[in-house]
Amino acid sequence: GESVGLHLPTLSVQEGDNSIINCAYSNSASDYFIWYKQESGKGPQFIIDIRSNMDKRQGQRVTVLLNKTVKHLSLQIAATQPGDSAVYFCAENSLQGAQKLVFGQGTRLTINP
Amino acid sequence: KAGVTQTPRYLIKTRGQQVTLSCSPISGHRSVSWYQQTPGQGLQFLFEYFSETQRNKGNFPGRFSGRQFSNSRSEMNVSTLELGDSALYLCASSLLLQGGTEAFFGQGTRLTVV
């Protein structure tokens, strides 16, 4: 999840469809992962988290999948709504008992009516 | 429950000046971390404070510093500002339970250096 890109990947989906946003993380020692949503002019908003001893976690309309073998994280949003339009970031934390998040470059999700 | 509060929201400074940004964490959260967000580099970790001690530091020059007070409020300071310091500075607070905990972000301070 090292943030090095200049260009945000984008994803456009139709309202009501499901969205899948992917993220590759960098540190195999990372044991905690978070997905954030950031709307224009606002700080990142927590969506869902997952610990490395799990491979799936569900929230309200969102599911996070973790594949440690290939260091891949995904966020699934069911029945997308216009309010889901935002930039989505994955973040990893490799320090037990400390907070030092490494963010991915982000994906801009656009919901088409 | 009040969220993370950052002040000021917007700031314009001149090159060479210094700036201090403030962050009030969620009540009961003792960990405060700071991040810089720019279009080119994305979100990058600056440092983390816990119980008034800096525990972790990112890869930023010494012009970037911070501190935390006994009430967990935190400030970060940037001295000798450069144009490239223009960014959104975000503060996050955490309970830091074992195994990882959510980090809640404030709205950020938008710093523009001219």
Side-chain angles (χ1 to χ4, degrees), chain A residues 3 32 36 38 51 97 99 101, chain B residues 35 37 41 55 94 99-100 103:
Chain A
S3 183
Y32 180 62
Y36 284 97
Q38 188 174 27
R51 289 172 173 74
Q99 193 67 262
L101 295 173
Chain B
Y35 294 81
Q37 186 175 27
Q41 297 298 317
R55 294 200 301 184
S94 301

Side-chain angles (χ1 to χ4, degrees), chain A residues 3-6 31-32 34 36 38 41-44 46 49 51 89 93 95-104, chain B residues 9 31 33 35 37 39-43 45 48 55-57 88 90 94 96 98-103 105-107:
Chain A
S3 183
V4 296
L6 292 170
D31 58 2
Y32 180 62
I34 310 176
Y36 284 97
Q38 188 174 27
K42 297 184 178 180
F46 173 90
D49 60 358
R51 289 172 173 74
F89 294 95
N93 191 34
L95 298 179
Q96 278 277 352
Q99 193 67 262
K100 180 182 177 182
L101 295 173
V102 175
F103 283 83
Chain B
R9 287 292 311 278
S31 167
S33 48
Y35 294 81
Q37 186 175 27
Q41 297 298 317
L43 277 151
F45 173 81
E48 184 218 7
R55 294 200 301 184
N56 297 286
K57 192 175 193 307
L88 181 67
L90 292 158
S94 301
L96 271 192
Q98 194 169 6
T101 53
E102 308 161 28
F105 282 85
Q107 298 277 55

Side-chain angles (χ1 to χ4, degrees), chain A residues 13-17 19 37 61 77-86 88 109-112:
Chain A
V13 299
Q14 291 296 121
E15 183 178 349
D17 286 353
S19 304
K37 171 187 180 183
R61 282 203 306 119
I77 305 173
T80 50
Q81 303 167 358
D84 295 329
S85 292
Y88 289 81
L109 177 65
T110 302
I111 310 301
N112 301 314

Side-chain angles (χ1 to χ4, degrees), chain A residues 61-82:
Chain A
R61 282 203 306 119
V62 294
T63 301
V64 55
L65 299 177
L66 174 63
N67 184 330
K68 294 182 288 294
T69 303
V70 294
K71 293 191 288 186
H72 184 266
L73 202 62
S74 69
L75 175 71
Q76 300 176 4
I77 305 173
T80 50
Q81 303 167 358

Side-chain angles (χ1 to χ4, degrees), chain B residues 28 39 42 45 55 58 74 76-77 79-80 87 91 111:
Chain B
F45 173 81
R55 294 200 301 184
S74 178
M76 69 162 281
N77 184 279
S79 61
T80 319
C91 163
L111 172 65

